[in-house]
Amino acid sequence: MKSMTTKKILYNLIAAAFFLSSCQKDLDEFIPDPGAAGPDSTWFNTITTTMPVATLKNKLLLDIQRDSFLLNPGTVTVTTTGSGLQCSIAQGVILDPIGQPVVGKVYLETHLLKKKGDIIRMGTPTISNGSMLVSGGEFFIRLIKDGVELQLSTNGHINVKYDDPPVSGLMGLFNGIEANPAAPFNWLPNMDTLNNRVYTFNQSYEVLTNRLHWINCDYFYDTSSATPRTTVSAVLPAHYTNANTVAYTVFNDLRSVIGMYGNDVSRKFSTGQLPSNKQVTVIIISKQGDDYYLGHQQALTMTPTAGTIGDQQVAVTPVKTSFENIQAYLNTL
């Protein structure tokens, strides 16, 4: 009888152990209720402002710096903005929307981007018609009086100066194209070199320009067709799509930031043609529901077979994080 009782106790302990093991497995593996929706893995041909990626892009944007100055008749006003730009503006150069010269208090709204992470946040990668640029600093200027945006006169100029050591004598001026917000951001070289020039002065760039809004001091990295090239694509889990994710390739030793654009057919984020044998970091930022995800992976751009364009796949596994951590990471670039 005692032996039978002992066996029953042993059987009960074994059964309890199996039960606890099963419960622990249920705790380790989240299994959604039948019919519950999982992560959305849908890619789209057109991105709309209602998608999570639009909210993400807006949240990433840097606050614009707003300063003011007095524009008096017959004088040149020199003002240094909180963003680090020094602007020299002569009276008579700034006009209101109906073409009349402006005097009095004017507000100056600016950005100055010298970090690769800030270029990512503002969505202004260093590409001109598919060719890679090396930036000596991107800046944005807008002039406002009484809530109305102002313009430059036909022959008017402003001078803009900022520090960015070490400077390069290769720089030219490029203007950002903002006509189509749905299209990838693009920089075009300013061909009016008489009225748009960049000079180096000690450890500063000094820009003479008759244009406002986005301006970039850049040079083309390499225009030789003989240079080996490769494209870079991010390999991601299925629920990272162009509806909730942004992707960039950043060059580690150059101020060059390349947008990776999602394709709804290939279901991948890819660059255009990049120079080979360069150290880069592929960066993924995603917003899914109320959560944020960040992934970054180092890579060396491949050297393809002579006469071909390489196609490099870089696997990235983003992890859930806070938006503050994403900002902190971008500040290190």
Side-chain angles (χ1 to χ4, degrees):
M1 179 66 70
K2 184 176 180 180
S3 176
M4 184 65 70
T5 302
T6 302
K7 288 182 179 179
K8 287 183 178 179
I9 292 172
L10 182 59
Y11 290 151
N12 288 337
L13 287 173
I14 293 172
F18 277 117
F19 175 76
L20 290 173
S21 175
S22 176
C23 288
Q24 183 62 46
K25 185 179 181 189
D26 287 344
L27 289 173
D28 292 340
E29 299 179 9
F30 172 75
I31 301 175
D33 294 332
D40 189 353
S41 59
T42 306
W43 288 69
F44 294 86
N45 178 258
T46 302
I47 302 301
T48 69
T49 57
T50 63
M51 293 178 179
V53 69
T55 303
L56 174 61
K57 289 179 179 180
N58 285 332
K59 192 172 179 65
L60 284 170
L61 292 174
L62 296 165
D63 291 334
I64 200 162
Q65 177 67 40
R66 199 165 200 249
D67 303 274
S68 64
F69 62 94
L70 286 175
L71 194 58
N72 297 314
T75 64
V76 175
T77 299
V78 179
T79 183
T80 301
T81 72
S83 61
L85 296 173
Q86 184 184 86
C87 300
S88 301
I89 305 172
Q91 192 276 326
V93 167
I94 303 176
L95 307 180
D96 64 20
I98 61 173
Q100 296 301 307
V102 172
V103 295
K105 189 174 185 178
V106 174
Y107 286 95
L108 184 61
E109 295 185 339
T110 61
H111 288 293
L112 175 59
L113 310 183
K114 296 193 290 185
K115 290 183 177 181
K116 289 175 275 191
D118 288 346
I119 293 174
I120 288 175
R121 294 184 66 178
M122 295 306 295
T124 54
T126 55
I127 285 289
S128 176
N129 288 343
S131 296
M132 176 175 145
L133 301 170
V134 178
S135 178
E138 302 177 359
F139 60 90
F140 176 89
I141 294 179
R142 181 164 55 212
L143 298 163
I144 294 175
K145 181 175 173 58
D146 300 327
V148 176
E149 186 168 352
L150 307 176
Q151 58 191 349
L152 295 179
S153 63
T154 303
N155 298 313
H157 305 85
I158 63 172
N159 284 76
V160 181
K161 182 180 177 181
Y162 61 93
D163 296 333
D164 188 45
V167 297
S168 169
L170 299 175
M171 299 295 175
L173 289 186
F174 291 72
N175 295 103
I177 305 304
E178 306 169 87
N180 183 3
F185 192 91
N186 191 32
W187 296 99
L188 291 182
N190 191 313
M191 306 308 292
D192 181 8
T193 55
L194 179 64
N195 296 298
N196 295 269
R197 301 190 296 274
V198 56
Y199 306 93
T200 58
F201 180 77
N202 291 334
Q203 295 302 313
S204 301
Y205 291 111
E206 188 165 345
V207 174
L208 172 73
T209 182
N210 60 3
R211 299 282 297 272
L212 297 175
H213 287 211
W214 282 110
I215 297 172
N216 202 346
C217 291
D218 282 280
Y219 63 86
F220 287 105
Y221 175 75
D222 187 5
T223 56
S224 171
S225 59
T227 302
R229 310 275 179 182
T230 187
T231 61
V232 174
S233 297
V235 179
L236 295 165
H239 52 282
Y240 291 89
T241 75
N242 61 346
N244 57 34
T245 299
V246 294
Y248 290 89
T249 293
V250 174
F251 282 73
N252 295 2
D253 62 343
L254 300 168
R255 191 183 290 157
S256 297
V257 176
I258 311 302
M260 304 179 74
Y261 299 104
N263 183 288
D264 63 308
V265 177
S266 67
R267 299 170 73 88
K268 289 181 181 178
F269 293 93
S270 302
T271 68
Q273 296 178 19
L274 304 180
S276 64
N277 199 36
K278 298 292 292 182
Q279 287 287 343
V280 298
T281 304
V282 176
I283 298 171
I284 305 297
I285 305 172
S286 186
K287 184 180 189 303
Q288 302 187 32
D290 295 328
D291 298 321
Y292 293 93
Y293 296 82
L294 172 67
H296 44 89
Q297 182 62 51
Q298 299 276 341
L300 180 70
T301 55
M302 67 180 291
T303 301
T305 303
T308 66
I309 303 299
D311 181 15
Q312 184 168 357
Q313 313 292 306
V314 178
V316 186
T317 304
V319 297
K320 183 178 175 180
T321 189
S322 67
F323 185 76
E324 290 71 23
N325 284 342
I326 292 173
Q327 291 177 301
Y329 172 73
L330 293 177
N331 287 338
T332 68
L333 298 177

